[in-house]
Amino acid sequence: EPEVTQTPSHQVTQMGQEVILRCVPISNHLYFYWYRQILGQKVEFLVSFYNNEISEKSEIFDDQFSVERPDGSNFTLKIRSTKLEDSAMYFCASTWDSRSNQPQHFGDGTRLSIL
Amino acid sequence: AQKVTQAQTEISVVEKEDVTLDCVYETRDTTYYLFWYKQPPSGELVFLIRRNSFDEQNEISGRYSWNFQKSTSSFNFTITASQVVDSAVYFCALRRGETQGGSEKLVFGKGTKLTVNP
């Protein structure tokens, strides 16, 4: 079964450094999302992306965050200057149709640890 | 505003017991969708089921069943004859319908950690 692939599985970065998290959505999917989960807490929406544009973002997704689809397969989340509170599990998700009854399929996540 | 409450933080059962995970949601929308996801110890999020607000029929899939009741704004999940492999964190999530502004984001509850002991 096709799946969403995220790399790396674990990223350790010094505070203030830039980090890029990578995702390869399911190949025929058109809508892409990033969520994060601080350890032991609930999963929170960050951003949705369609047709090379952000369609929605949360208040968490400030100017330090950006997303990009640099080619036909990858979907990236960049954090420009990381803070300790950015430590979390970051999940990429995708769906082929944005209609509400279509489930978002999630990747295995990238655990980001900021030192 | 949309909100999902999973009041049970942790549940521990012995294998073969039945267990019900509660989910209560809040929304002013008339059209919405509800989802359950499973997060095993390995960390990934696995889609289990979706239900739209117009369909209150209960659903059964093997040992899993879901009870959706609009009158109480609940979407509870029951595992029958639980197994050790069911041990995971289970998340309930809510999303607005297409006619309610088009937001695609899933609003998650805090999750219920289920431990099934042998």
Side-chain angles (χ1 to χ4, degrees):
Chain A
E1 184 176 325
E3 56 184 29
V4 176
T5 305
Q6 289 186 243
T7 55
S9 56
H10 190 193
Q11 173 80 44
V12 181
T13 300
Q14 292 288 331
M15 186 173 60
Q17 295 295 305
E18 175 183 286
V19 65
I20 297 176
L21 309 182
R22 292 184 164 79
C23 168
V24 178
I26 295 173
S27 63
N28 65 339
H29 285 189
L30 301 174
Y31 298 82
F32 314 114
Y33 311 87
W34 284 101
Y35 290 80
R36 81 171 185 191
Q37 183 185 28
I38 294 173
L39 185 63
Q41 299 188 23
K42 65 179 176 181
V43 179
E44 301 173 289
F45 169 79
L46 292 178
V47 65
S48 58
F49 189 87
Y50 169 70
N51 199 25
N52 281 321
E53 288 185 352
I54 290 175
S55 43
E56 185 180 2
K57 60 183 181 180
S58 71
E59 60 276 9
I60 302 169
F61 194 88
D62 61 21
D63 292 345
Q64 293 300 311
F65 290 87
S66 62
V67 289
E68 190 178 33
R69 188 152 164 82
D71 53 44
S73 59
N74 289 285
F75 177 52
T76 62
L77 173 70
K78 183 196 292 187
I79 308 175
R80 257 180 282 280
S81 178
T82 49
K83 303 187 284 283
L84 292 175
E85 52 265 38
D86 293 327
S87 294
M89 179 77 95
Y90 287 81
F91 290 102
C92 173
S94 70
T95 184
W96 70 274
D97 189 320
S98 67
R99 285 176 295 177
S100 304
N101 65 339
Q102 298 304 312
Q104 295 172 16
H105 295 274
F106 285 78
D108 289 353
T110 292
R111 181 167 300 285
L112 177 63
S113 301
I114 307 300
L115 304 179
Chain B
Q2 316 254 299
K3 185 178 178 183
V4 175
T5 301
Q6 295 179 254
Q8 304 151 308
T9 306
E10 293 192 41
I11 299 176
S12 183
V13 299
V14 177
E15 212 170 14
K16 297 184 182 169
E17 283 186 24
D18 298 349
V19 58
T20 295
L21 310 181
D22 297 334
C23 172
V24 174
Y25 61 92
E26 295 176 32
T27 181
R28 294 181 181 173
D29 295 341
T30 53
T31 307
Y32 51 90
Y33 292 82
L34 294 160
F35 302 81
W36 276 94
Y37 284 84
K38 173 182 180 180
Q39 187 177 41
S42 47
E44 70 270 27
L45 282 168
V46 179
F47 165 73
L48 294 178
I49 191 173
R50 64 177 172 268
R51 173 63 76 222
N52 72 56
S53 52
F54 299 125
D55 182 3
E56 286 194 73
Q57 279 191 340
N58 292 332
E59 181 157 342
I60 298 174
S61 176
R63 296 184 297 105
Y64 294 171
S65 62
W66 290 270
N67 182 6
F68 175 35
Q69 291 195 337
K70 283 181 77 171
S71 61
T72 55
S73 297
S74 65
F75 185 42
N76 296 336
F77 173 30
T78 297
I79 302 174
T80 303
S82 59
Q83 300 175 1
V84 173
V85 293
D86 296 327
S87 296
V89 180
Y90 291 87
F91 290 96
C92 181
L94 170 67
R95 181 187 159 166
R96 308 186 80 178
E98 295 88 357
T99 58
Q100 308 295 327
S103 173
E104 298 164 41
K105 71 178 181 184
L106 291 172
V107 175
F108 285 84
K110 292 185 176 181
T112 296
K113 182 179 181 181
L114 173 65
T115 302
V116 181
N117 298 299

